[in-house]
Amino acid sequence: MKYKLLIVLFIAILAVSCDLSSGFRNYDLIKLQSHQRNESFEDMILADLKSDGSEMVVTSYFANNLGRILISDIEGKVLSQINIGRFRPYNLSVLKEPQSGKNWLFYNINNNENLSLQAVSYDWKIPLKREMKSFEAYNRDDELMSIDAYSWQSSFRPKILEDIDDDGKYELVCLARDGYSSNPRGVIVYDWESGKKKWFFRSPTVFNQIVFADLDGDHQKEFLLSNVAFNNNLYKINGLDDFSGHLIVLNKMGQMKYLHKVFEGLGFLSLNVEDVNQDGILDIFVVASTRGTNSQNDMILRLNYENKRLIRKKELLLPRTLSQIENNGYLHRLGELKDYTLVVCDSHRGILYYDTSLNEMDVTPQIDVSRIYAISELRKMGSKDIVALNKDNELQVFDNKLHELARIPVPKPDSRFLRVCVLKQQMGNLPTIALMMDDSVVFYGLKRISFLTMGYRLLMTNALFVILVLVLVLIYIYIVRCRSKKDAITTLNQLREGVIIVRGKNRIGFINKAALAMAIEHDPYSSLTNLNDIFPELEDTLQGMQRSQSTYQDLELQICARPTKVHVEKMASMLNRYLIFLYQNEVEETTAEAMQWAETARRLSHHVRRHITNVILALDPLEKAADSKDAEYLNIIKGEIEKVRVFTHAFQRFTEMHDYDLKQQDIVPSLEHAIESTRIAENIKLIRDYTLNSIYAKIEPIRFEEAIVNTINNATEAMPEGGILHISIREFPNHSSPRGNLSVLVEIEDTGKGIPPKYMEDIWKPFFTTNQSGTGIGIPETHKIIASMGGLMDIQSEEGVGTTVSIWLKGDKDE
């Protein structure tokens, strides 16, 4: 039981330590392969250009005043190259054409004077075919053109490809962005077939997200846009400026229908649109992260577009610590449930969850996370995982409960370009993450670690706790062994047999008191360190066992001039150790001594009776001649002489040794004869609690009757003023005792004065009595008679209440 409690304690401490440790992870990010380029690229994406779910690596370069785009498979093999000429290609993106299902690769080309958007798609049959599209260029006309040091960081970012104006033709909707000036900023729409510009909604601020959907359920789609406020120009167009966070609603022709200011100052807005209640009305969620001194709070909003207005339904104000949200969005179904969760990142508190009512959910935030890169069903297990970057420039993967699965350090943390992408396809049958940096892309597989590795990491992660538990275990085992050794030594020292433990080259490791007494008797001056010094007779025995590799041996030797049985056994649990038992024939010596005492008692009784007879004969003449006064003293003398005779006879009977011939006999007649042989006073009521039916037991009838007579006499003597004497016989077929099965019980109970508790141990000793006329032999002799017949005798007594003597005998079915 103690060891089980110790194991439970060990597991509990280990479990607590595992829960407290954040370093233990059960997955690894394994490097599968990497592609290293000789030059830094302008842009890199993973794109499904075959429209079959398999990604390719698309990289754009601009060197020596020449631009090019390389398309490679994930193994690094270049499949196609697009030469751009003297333009710089960048801002790579992919959109699917609804009718054909083909994926188109878009890229911007910019020579610091003209900005143009181009697209390409492939027919991957042999030979490879490529289709190109060009869209109307935008000529630069801003006030910074005269500054040679300024690089024109403008781009068109394709977001939507569909028929937005219901004319039966597709339009390409792009967000026009510029890094510093306001040229171009806004929304530009192209005709998909001709590449001509259809309309351009001009803005002084940069739009970062756009949604085209039926926001109010009137079967007419609207554009919903959010912006990033940089405060790097003073223009105001259509009520917009670059110093506020705005939500804008445009109709399908690019006309503003509604403007909603969310905050004033620097910052950005990020929006997600979903029908979270499944009621046919789209819910708009907006996360506002503010900067500068004009704003007091960050916020999360839930809105609806009703009656051509944006109406705030819920609003949550937060500290200004929200991190920028990537384009993957923050509104997700993380698990198998249908409920949506808002996943945001706080620079102080890490990853946070909110439900669609903007209540914070109960999860343990990962406080070290600085940026979320992807929320995707990475492991294909029906739930989404989160890929993020922490403050130590480590890439981390979490499950949807924010338990960390794996982490790796970013190989080049100082890269100007860092992008993370989860592959739809797997490499090596492992969930795959691509890490894109300035001049390389590295693919990592998420692999579950083995049970052995998990155990090793568990121990290493919780080494301090494990060491503490092991120290406690060792201390506990040491204490238990010390106590066990002490108990074993105490037990062995109580044995009458000699016990010796020998180790090594006959060195004595332990010797108990009985063996020590034999050794001292053999040689009082022995050092007791070597077996050869005290019992040289055993040396040959041990050597023979070592040679024959036997495990035990029994023999008989003369030790201390007495025949001694010896048992030698090799201890299996310990190397080269032997256990020796020494049995000297004390039983025979005890028997011989007892026979000698019995003979002495017989002779003593014979001589005492002879001298008592002579004394009585000598008293007869004196008794005849004595007067009445002298006769009284003569009677006292004769009475005392009779007591001496009775005591001497009793002593002889007690010391006699008999080997009773036990027989199965009905004990009821013997019990009745014993009662009739005893003088029971009239003031004592006798109760017989048994029938006269036969009850058989193994007895010697004459001695059994003597034992019963002794017991009844003691009972009547304890009731001088009268009482009740209760005698019963019962059978208990299943009763067992140290002497075996004993099924017959005889009980003799009196209501006398009882035995004081201080005398309960002394009554079994010969010649102890508190009765002036008693011999002190009755109870010991009765006990001896019953024990000689294989039975048991027990006495229960309470002073002032009475005494019960219980005699157990072997029945006719007891073995």
Side-chain angles (χ1 to χ4, degrees):
M1 180 60 70
K2 293 180 179 179
Y3 288 104
K4 291 181 179 179
L5 291 176
L6 189 65
I7 293 172
V8 171
L9 176 63
F10 174 80
I11 294 174
I13 293 177
L14 201 58
V16 170
S17 66
C18 291
D19 187 57
L20 294 176
S21 172
S22 61
F24 179 76
R25 296 169 291 276
N26 52 7
Y27 281 84
D28 270 340
L29 282 171
I30 306 298
K31 184 177 179 181
L32 301 177
Q33 60 178 294
S34 64
H35 303 161
Q36 182 73 34
R37 305 299 186 186
N38 296 326
E39 54 185 323
S40 296
F41 50 75
E42 293 293 322
D43 197 4
M44 175 186 289
I45 63 169
L46 295 180
D48 178 14
L49 298 183
K50 288 186 177 181
S51 303
D52 62 356
S54 62
E55 288 94 345
M56 297 180 179
V57 181
V58 183
T59 315
S60 66
Y61 298 90
F62 186 67
N64 301 320
N65 208 29
L66 292 175
R68 72 184 190 280
I69 295 175
L70 294 183
I71 300 174
S72 309
D73 61 18
I74 58 175
E75 302 294 333
K77 180 182 179 182
V78 176
L79 303 177
S80 176
Q81 177 172 319
I82 304 173
N83 296 314
I84 310 300
R86 59 188 182 88
F87 290 94
R88 177 172 61 91
Y90 62 100
N91 194 31
L92 304 172
S93 63
V94 175
L95 283 179
K96 182 185 290 292
E97 183 181 0
Q99 184 175 3
S100 65
K102 294 192 299 184
N103 283 338
W104 285 81
L105 172 65
F106 295 88
Y107 55 92
N108 286 255
I109 56 176
N110 185 342
N111 64 355
N112 215 34
E113 294 180 359
N114 298 293
L115 172 64
S116 178
L117 179 67
Q118 296 189 353
V120 60
S121 69
Y122 285 89
D123 185 352
W124 295 96
K125 298 177 182 178
I126 300 176
L128 182 66
K129 294 181 180 181
R130 182 168 63 195
E131 182 180 358
M132 303 287 293
K133 278 183 177 294
S134 295
F135 299 89
E136 185 177 341
Y138 185 90
N139 298 319
R140 181 181 179 187
D141 59 358
D142 61 86
E143 68 275 9
L144 299 176
M145 291 182 62
S146 60
I147 303 175
D148 294 335
Y150 173 71
S151 177
W152 190 37
Q153 299 295 328
S154 60
S155 63
F156 293 142
R157 301 194 176 188
K159 295 294 182 181
I160 301 168
L161 179 55
E162 63 176 284
D163 182 6
I164 65 172
D165 54 9
D166 301 322
D167 64 351
K169 299 179 181 180
Y170 291 130
E171 284 79 32
L172 177 66
V173 181
C174 304
L175 294 180
R177 303 188 62 172
D178 181 76
Y180 188 77
S181 73
S182 59
N183 182 21
R185 289 183 179 181
V187 181
I188 189 167
V189 177
Y190 291 100
D191 180 78
W192 176 246
E193 294 298 330
S194 65
K196 297 294 185 179
K197 180 180 70 175
K198 297 190 71 170
W199 54 264
F200 181 26
F201 178 81
R202 187 78 178 266
S203 168
T205 187
V206 172
F207 295 130
N208 64 331
Q209 285 182 277
I210 183 170
V211 174
F212 185 58
D214 182 6
L215 299 177
D216 53 3
D218 64 352
H219 305 291
Q220 295 292 323
K221 290 186 176 182
E222 296 85 17
F223 289 102
L224 177 65
L225 297 104
S226 63
N227 75 309
V228 179
F230 289 118
N231 191 28
N232 54 20
N233 68 76
L234 300 177
Y235 296 118
K236 285 191 176 182
I237 304 174
N238 296 322
L240 294 171
D241 57 51
D242 199 26
F243 195 66
S244 301
H246 300 286
L247 293 175
I248 305 100
V249 179
L250 303 179
N251 65 12
K252 58 186 179 181
M253 303 307 295
Q255 298 168 338
M256 180 180 289
K257 306 304 294 182
Y258 188 73
L259 172 64
H260 183 83
K261 180 184 287 188
V262 178
F263 64 85
E264 184 172 331
L266 301 176
F268 72 90
L269 295 178
S270 180
L271 65 88
N272 276 188
V273 177
E274 290 287 347
D275 181 8
V276 296
N277 294 332
Q278 301 297 310
D279 58 0
I281 303 299
L282 292 177
D283 300 287
I284 302 166
F285 293 89
V286 178
V287 175
S289 178
T290 62
R291 301 291 183 268
T293 58
N294 293 69
S295 301
Q296 299 297 321
N297 297 98
D298 289 349
M299 64 187 73
I300 303 177
L301 304 176
R302 177 173 175 175
L303 309 94
N304 288 117
Y305 188 58
E306 300 174 357
N307 300 320
K308 309 305 178 180
R309 294 172 56 86
L310 288 170
I311 308 298
R312 297 192 185 191
K313 299 295 186 179
K314 296 281 186 179
E315 181 175 329
L316 176 64
L317 299 180
L318 297 170
R320 293 196 308 160
T321 53
L322 291 183
S323 302
Q324 183 175 346
I325 294 177
E326 296 300 307
N327 292 331
N328 61 288
Y330 50 83
L331 189 63
H332 295 272
R333 287 191 178 106
L334 295 177
E336 298 177 354
L337 300 177
K338 295 182 179 180
D339 295 337
Y340 283 88
T341 301
L342 284 81
V343 183
V344 299
C345 185
D346 186 283
S347 60
H348 290 171
R349 299 179 58 200
I351 301 175
L352 304 175
Y353 284 178
Y354 293 91
D355 62 21
T356 53
S357 296
L358 308 190
N359 299 311
E360 185 172 349
M361 300 172 65
D362 186 17
V363 293
T364 302
Q366 296 291 336
I367 59 175
D368 290 333
V369 171
S370 59
R371 190 171 185 179
I372 297 175
Y373 276 107
I375 301 177
S376 171
E377 193 175 329
L378 176 62
R379 292 176 294 164
K380 313 298 182 185
M381 296 174 61
S383 61
K384 292 186 178 180
D385 301 313
I386 299 174
V387 182
L389 186 72
N390 66 20
K391 296 174 183 177
D392 295 326
N393 286 314
E394 293 176 313
L395 199 65
Q396 292 180 277
V397 181
F398 304 97
D399 64 13
N400 63 345
K401 296 180 180 178
L402 294 186
H403 297 150
E404 186 180 3
L405 302 178
R407 73 165 69 183
I408 54 165
V410 175
K412 297 179 180 180
D414 298 329
S415 295
R416 61 171 178 83
F417 180 93
L418 183 62
R419 185 176 294 168
V420 178
C421 179
V422 174
L423 271 67
K424 296 179 182 178
Q425 62 181 329
Q426 296 184 346
M427 298 178 62
N429 295 322
L430 294 177
T432 306
I433 298 173
L435 181 59
M436 292 169 276
M437 295 164 287
D438 284 350
D439 57 356
S440 61
V441 56
V442 184
F443 297 94
Y444 294 95
L446 187 67
K447 181 180 181 181
R448 192 175 187 91
I449 63 176
S450 67
F451 180 79
L452 292 177
T453 304
M454 186 182 299
Y456 173 77
R457 290 186 180 178
L458 183 65
L459 292 175
M460 292 299 101
T461 304
N462 305 280
L464 180 61
F465 293 95
V466 173
I467 292 172
L468 176 62
V469 172
L470 289 178
V471 169
L472 292 176
V473 170
L474 292 176
I475 293 174
Y476 178 82
I477 293 175
Y478 176 76
I479 294 173
V480 170
R481 290 195 63 181
C482 289
R483 289 181 178 177
S484 300
K485 184 177 180 180
K486 182 178 179 181
D487 294 342
I489 291 174
T490 301
T491 302
L492 292 175
N493 281 329
Q494 293 175 350
L495 297 177
R496 301 176 65 181
E497 297 84 2
V499 180
I500 303 173
I501 296 177
V502 178
R503 61 184 181 184
K505 297 181 179 179
N506 293 345
R507 289 179 297 168
I508 295 177
F510 170 79
I511 182 170
N512 74 338
K513 290 182 178 180
L516 182 63
M518 296 180 196
I520 293 175
E521 183 180 356
H522 176 270
D523 184 0
Y525 304 103
S526 173
S527 62
L528 302 177
T529 58
N530 196 284
L531 186 65
N532 298 336
D533 296 336
I534 54 176
F535 300 125
E537 301 91 343
L538 295 174
E539 180 180 6
D540 293 339
T541 300
L542 290 181
Q543 291 180 355
M545 290 181 64
Q546 292 173 357
R547 287 193 300 268
S548 62
Q549 296 184 351
S550 58
T551 57
Y552 72 93
Q553 187 170 349
D554 294 305
L555 64 156
E556 188 168 340
L557 300 174
Q558 288 289 327
I559 296 179
C560 301
R562 289 194 298 272
T564 304
K565 293 181 179 179
V566 180
H567 175 80
V568 184
E569 185 164 342
K570 187 175 182 180
M571 300 177 70
S573 60
M574 295 185 181
L575 184 63
N576 204 22
R577 291 197 180 190
Y578 293 87
L579 187 62
I580 301 174
F581 292 93
L582 305 173
Y583 305 88
Q584 290 193 333
N585 198 354
E586 297 180 356
V587 176
E588 294 181 2
E589 294 181 1
T590 302
T591 304
E593 183 178 357
M595 293 178 63
Q596 185 176 359
W597 271 103
E599 178 63 20
T600 301
R602 187 188 65 77
R603 292 180 181 179
L604 175 63
S605 176
H606 172 74
H607 288 294
V608 170
R609 286 200 302 271
R610 181 165 57 84
H611 290 298
I612 287 175
T613 301
N614 293 334
V615 171
I616 292 175
L617 293 174
L619 288 176
D620 285 340
L622 295 176
E623 187 177 9
K624 294 177 181 180
D627 55 18
S628 59
K629 183 177 181 180
D630 294 335
E632 179 182 355
Y633 290 109
L634 289 173
N635 287 333
I636 293 174
I637 293 172
K638 292 180 68 175
E640 293 300 319
I641 291 174
E642 177 63 18
K643 291 179 181 179
V644 172
R645 186 189 67 79
V646 172
F647 177 82
T648 305
H649 179 71
F651 177 69
Q652 178 187 352
R653 293 294 301 273
F654 180 74
T655 56
E656 288 178 351
M657 295 187 65
H658 293 281
D659 186 11
Y660 296 142
D661 183 15
L662 302 181
K663 298 179 180 179
Q664 285 285 353
Q665 184 166 327
D666 185 3
I667 66 171
V668 174
S670 297
L671 191 62
E672 287 292 322
H673 187 264
I675 294 173
E676 293 174 0
S677 303
T678 307
R679 292 172 52 187
I680 300 177
E682 294 181 357
N683 60 352
I684 295 177
K685 181 181 179 180
L686 174 63
I687 299 176
R688 292 179 172 87
D689 188 8
Y690 55 87
T691 64
L692 296 179
N693 294 333
S694 299
I695 299 177
Y696 286 88
K698 293 181 181 180
I699 61 172
E700 200 288 316
I702 296 177
R703 299 309 302 273
F704 174 69
E705 290 182 18
E706 290 181 8
I708 298 299
V709 169
N710 285 342
T711 305
I712 294 176
N713 283 336
N714 288 338
T716 57
E717 289 174 2
M719 298 184 289
E721 298 179 357
I724 298 174
L725 179 64
H726 185 277
I727 301 175
S728 64
I729 307 174
R730 292 183 178 85
E731 287 186 288
F732 299 90
N734 297 322
H735 178 262
S736 61
S737 74
R739 287 183 174 270
N741 294 333
L742 301 173
S743 62
V744 178
L745 172 64
V746 179
E747 285 191 320
I748 300 173
E749 181 180 359
D750 64 66
T751 58
K753 54 189 176 182
I755 304 171
K758 61 181 180 180
Y759 295 145
M760 285 302 297
E761 294 185 4
D762 296 328
I763 60 175
W764 305 99
K765 298 177 182 179
F767 312 119
F768 173 81
T769 181
T770 58
N771 189 350
Q772 294 294 332
S773 60
T775 62
I777 297 297
I779 293 177
E781 183 179 15
T782 300
H783 179 265
K784 181 179 178 181
I785 291 171
I786 299 302
S788 299
M789 292 188 293
L792 288 175
M793 177 181 175
D794 181 58
I795 297 177
Q796 301 291 329
S797 183
E798 183 176 351
E799 191 173 8
V801 177
T803 302
T804 300
V805 178
S806 301
I807 297 174
W808 288 92
L809 302 170
K810 289 184 177 292
D812 58 348
K813 295 182 180 180
D814 298 331
E815 295 181 357

